[in-house]
Amino acid sequence: MTALTLTESCQRLITGEVIAYPTEAVFGLGCDPDNQSAILKLLSLKQRSPEKGLILIGANLAQLKPYFDKTLLTKQQLQLINQPSDQAITWLVPKNSDTPPWLTGQFDSIAIRICHHPLAHQLCLAFAKPIVSTSANLSGYLPCRTLTEVETQFGCSFPVLNGETGHRCNPSQIRDIFTGDIIRQG
C-alpha cells in the first residue's frame, strides 16, 4: 500500500487513477466520475458489473447537482439529501440527461451521498467535484476496514489516502428519494 496525503490523492484522481480512501464505515475505491477509462479500471479491479451503477460522494449538494435532475425533486427532497444524519445515507435520485451511463449502469437513477467523513469530505473539496465511491474489496471478499486489509486485497503499491474509517458498523443505507424505501440497510 502506498500511503498518500490529501494532495497526492487528489493528484492521482486528476491523472485518472483509482485510489482507496476511508469513508464512514469502510474504505472506498474511487476515481473521477467523468473519466470513463478510470471507471473501467475501477470496475475491472473490483470485478464489478457495469450494469450495477456506482455511488457518487460529494462534499456538498452543489458538487452532486450536475449529475441528477433537480427539476424532478421538491424543495423538501433536496433538503432531505442535504440534511446531516446520524447515519450515512445514499439517495437514489433521477439522473441528469448528461450523466454518463458508466455511472448509472442499467438505471434511470444515480446514487449520491454527501459524505461527512472528514478525509473523504476534504478529498472532494480538494478535487472540486464528487468522486466515485464503491467499497474497497475484491469480488467475494469483505469490504476493507483498515489500511492493512486494503494492502492484503490490493497489494503493497496500491494508492490509499492515509487515514482511518469512521468506524461505523455498516456501509451507507441506500434509500429511494421518492418513496423513502430502503434499498440497502445501513
Side-chain angles (χ1 to χ4, degrees):
M1 160 202 67
T2 302
L4 303 175
T5 65
L6 188 65
T7 302
E8 291 167 333
S9 297
C10 188
Q11 189 57 43
R12 298 280 182 114
L13 293 173
I14 290 168
T15 59
E17 291 186 50
V18 176
I19 65 166
Y21 56 90
T23 69
E24 296 91 342
V26 298
F27 275 82
L29 288 181
C31 63
D32 180 346
D34 299 314
N35 184 327
Q36 185 177 13
S37 75
I39 297 285
L40 294 175
K41 281 186 229 174
L42 181 143
L43 293 172
S44 175
L45 179 67
K46 190 168 164 85
Q47 301 168 9
R48 180 182 172 94
S49 167
E51 284 77 35
K52 288 185 172 184
L54 294 161
I55 294 173
L56 293 184
I57 62 166
N60 51 53
L61 191 58
Q63 285 191 338
L64 297 164
K65 280 185 176 179
Y67 299 89
F68 69 92
D69 188 346
K70 56 194 168 299
T71 66
L72 298 177
L73 300 180
T74 66
K75 183 179 176 183
Q76 291 80 13
Q77 289 166 330
L78 289 170
Q79 288 173 341
L80 203 55
I81 295 166
N82 207 24
Q83 181 178 340
S85 171
D86 291 340
Q87 180 174 20
I89 300 175
T90 296
W91 293 98
L92 294 178
V93 297
K95 70 179 181 178
N96 185 318
S97 61
D98 296 332
T99 301
W102 58 80
L103 294 177
T104 58
Q106 63 180 338
F107 303 102
D108 290 329
S109 59
I110 186 158
I112 61 169
R113 180 171 85 251
I114 296 174
C115 187
H116 296 289
H117 182 281
L119 275 177
H121 183 88
Q122 290 173 11
L123 180 60
C124 291
L125 286 175
F127 190 48
K129 64 193 274 189
I131 58 175
V132 168
S133 185
T134 184
S135 60
N137 62 289
L138 299 172
S139 183
Y141 288 81
L142 291 174
C144 299
R145 293 184 179 271
T146 66
L147 292 166
T148 303
E149 290 175 0
V150 173
E151 184 173 358
T152 299
Q153 286 194 42
F154 295 101
C156 59
S157 62
F158 196 81
V160 182
L161 175 56
N162 193 13
E164 292 188 14
T165 66
H167 303 295
R168 293 192 178 180
C169 294
N170 297 313
S172 68
Q173 182 180 89
I174 299 178
R175 298 182 76 168
D176 184 294
I177 194 65
F178 294 115
T179 65
D181 290 348
I182 297 171
I183 309 303
R184 177 178 79 188
Q185 197 61 253

